[in-house]
Amino acid sequence: MAEFMTETEQRSPAVPHPGTAGERRGRTGDADAGQAGGHPERHPEARLEGQEAVALLERTRTLVDPELRAALESLPGSMRRIALYHFGWQHADGTPARGNAGKAIRPALVLAAATALGGPAGRTAAVRAAVAVELVHNFTLLHDDVMDRDASRRHRPTAWTVFGTADAILAGDALQALALRMLAEDPHPASGPAAARLADCVVELCAGQHTDVDMERRAPGEVTLDEVLAMAEAKTGALLGCACALGALYAGADGEDVAALDGFGRQAGLAFQLIDDVIGIWGDPRRTGKPAGADLAARKKSLPVVAALSSGTEAAAELAELYDEPYVSGDAEGIVRTALAVERAGGRDWAQAEAADRMARAVQELSRAVPAPEAAGGLLALAEFVTRRSG
């Protein structure tokens, strides 16, 4: 489930490195400093935005983690153990661990949106909403790992490989229930509308995942670019949009501003997914923790692949033939050939250009609700942070 899942750098199925396929082109977006996926380290403005985003993420963890851990501790013993393991706070035997609980991008968006529209008071009021969004996100991760049979997340075995499929699914269900309980018990006047919006988001996530599973059963030529874009918005953009919308609700924003923040998150989420899909093919395994070409080995109909298949070129025909055949374990040369076919058919260039366009749309949506650049700074920094990744 790729919000159900997008965090490519956290997943590590065993596929060989495709060698120089990515190296010939360089990192994502090298040709254009302003293009999503470019090198933050080469552009001072982007570097400053990255520093601001990292600081925001660290502050978010400080604010959110105590409430999040308290929520997890309220679970029954068996569910609590799996959840704490998944977040990296316990080892499989139940002893304490100091693991990686994730970047906290979605709760950071909740707090940044609340700050942009309501100031520091808005941020403080929205902490429980931020926790709820993080719980829903991790519900999708637990289910995603089961559905994709991923063996590793955050550089450790996935919960289902340790505790079994059924227990991992049930732990994910428990996290979703916790999220809604967090909002139901919150006395803030926005908690009711926020709970309804988050529930609607979960339904949209599940519908997007259902579409994705259906697409994987279809022949490469039967999936259109419009379909895969709509699916990506449901699976990835929906929760980022919901996170921003919940922050706006907790800041007391009106309906138009809430809708604008939702639109901002959705468009930024699509840009995120586009870059994530590029990294899934050409990313540097030393930075991603995932061997490059894993998505190609799995024959995933990612955005660059579908764009390439839709190009009507000779390379598209070659790619369709390659995708018609299952991946043979250890066939590094086949992965290189497939990645080159996607690139020659224009899939990589299209994905990078589309990501830049989606970010421009996100900024336009944000300006409707938060016209002052200084107020919008946190949201923009987070959006740039997740879409300027190069691996």
Side-chain angles (χ1 to χ4, degrees):
M1 288 182 187
E3 206 345 294
F4 282 70
M5 222 350 298
T6 56
E7 295 185 23
T8 301
E9 68 278 8
Q10 296 177 356
R11 301 164 62 178
S12 307
V15 181
H17 187 335
T20 59
E23 295 168 5
R24 269 190 292 274
R25 181 64 176 260
R27 288 295 155 271
T28 309
D30 281 356
D32 183 355
Q35 189 169 345
H39 277 287
E41 63 272 21
R42 295 181 185 176
H43 311 293
E45 183 179 337
R47 184 167 61 249
L48 290 173
E49 287 167 341
Q51 292 170 352
E52 181 180 356
V54 169
L56 283 170
L57 293 171
E58 289 175 351
R59 286 201 298 273
T60 296
R61 275 284 167 223
T62 300
L63 289 168
V64 165
D65 279 1
E67 289 272 7
L68 179 58
R69 293 193 71 141
L72 298 181
E73 291 289 351
S74 73
L75 290 171
S78 57
M79 296 294 96
R80 180 171 65 248
R81 182 177 171 188
I82 298 167
L84 289 170
Y85 172 85
H86 169 76
F87 277 93
W89 291 330
Q90 279 189 5
H91 295 295
D93 63 3
T95 57
R98 297 182 64 182
N100 174 17
K103 292 184 177 66
I105 289 166
R106 290 153 192 83
L109 286 170
V110 176
L111 300 184
T115 304
L117 289 168
R123 179 179 62 237
T124 302
V127 169
R128 291 175 70 86
V131 173
V133 168
E134 183 72 341
L135 287 166
V136 164
H137 174 54
N138 281 276
F139 139 69
T140 69
L141 298 186
L142 281 161
H143 284 204
D144 180 47
D145 289 339
V146 171
M147 296 179 75
D148 287 350
R149 312 313 286 174
D150 283 327
S152 176
R153 179 175 295 283
R154 297 168 183 158
H155 306 288
R156 69 198 312 223
T158 45
W160 74 270
T161 67
V162 175
F163 300 99
T165 297
D167 284 354
I169 291 172
L170 291 169
D173 294 341
L175 294 189
Q176 183 191 170
L178 271 184
L180 294 175
R181 190 179 78 186
M182 290 284 295
L183 295 176
E185 293 178 347
D186 191 351
H188 193 283
S191 62
R197 197 171 195 106
L198 188 59
D200 285 344
C201 177
V202 170
V203 172
E204 187 175 359
L205 291 172
C206 292
Q209 175 62 12
H210 183 271
T211 300
D212 190 27
V213 171
D214 177 65
M215 285 180 180
E216 294 304 314
R217 301 190 188 107
R218 291 154 60 184
E222 294 177 355
V223 176
T224 69
L225 198 50
D226 285 344
E227 283 181 301
V228 78
L229 279 167
M231 178 270 295
E233 180 178 346
K235 285 178 48 171
T236 304
L239 190 54
L240 270 69
C242 182
C244 295
L246 261 58
L249 283 169
Y250 269 72
D254 61 25
E256 288 187 5
D257 286 349
V258 172
L261 265 292
D262 181 84
F264 163 77
R266 284 175 180 271
Q267 294 300 327
L270 271 173
F272 173 88
Q273 185 63 61
L274 284 152
I275 295 304
D276 201 69
D277 284 355
V278 168
I279 292 171
I281 299 174
W282 294 284
D284 182 351
R286 293 168 298 182
R287 300 183 65 177
T288 66
K290 170 184 175 180
D295 288 353
L296 298 179
R299 299 303 191 241
K300 287 188 176 295
K301 297 179 182 70
S302 63
L303 287 156
V305 167
V306 176
L309 289 167
S310 305
S311 67
T313 61
E314 290 184 11
E318 178 189 354
L319 178 61
E321 289 182 8
L322 290 166
Y323 253 56
D324 277 335
E325 297 295 329
Y327 169 69
V328 177
S329 180
D331 184 14
E333 185 177 332
I335 293 296
V336 172
R337 190 165 61 250
T338 306
L340 288 173
V342 176
E343 189 159 4
R344 289 200 309 272
R348 184 174 188 170
D349 287 341
W350 174 85
Q352 291 177 326
E354 185 71 12
D357 179 64
R358 295 293 177 167
M359 270 304 298
R361 296 189 200 186
V363 172
Q364 186 175 29
E365 289 282 355
L366 181 58
S367 68
R368 289 170 46 205
V370 192
E374 60 274 15
L379 288 166
L380 289 172
L382 289 168
E384 291 290 331
F385 177 79
V386 299
T387 56
R388 283 187 179 271
R389 299 170 305 145
S390 59

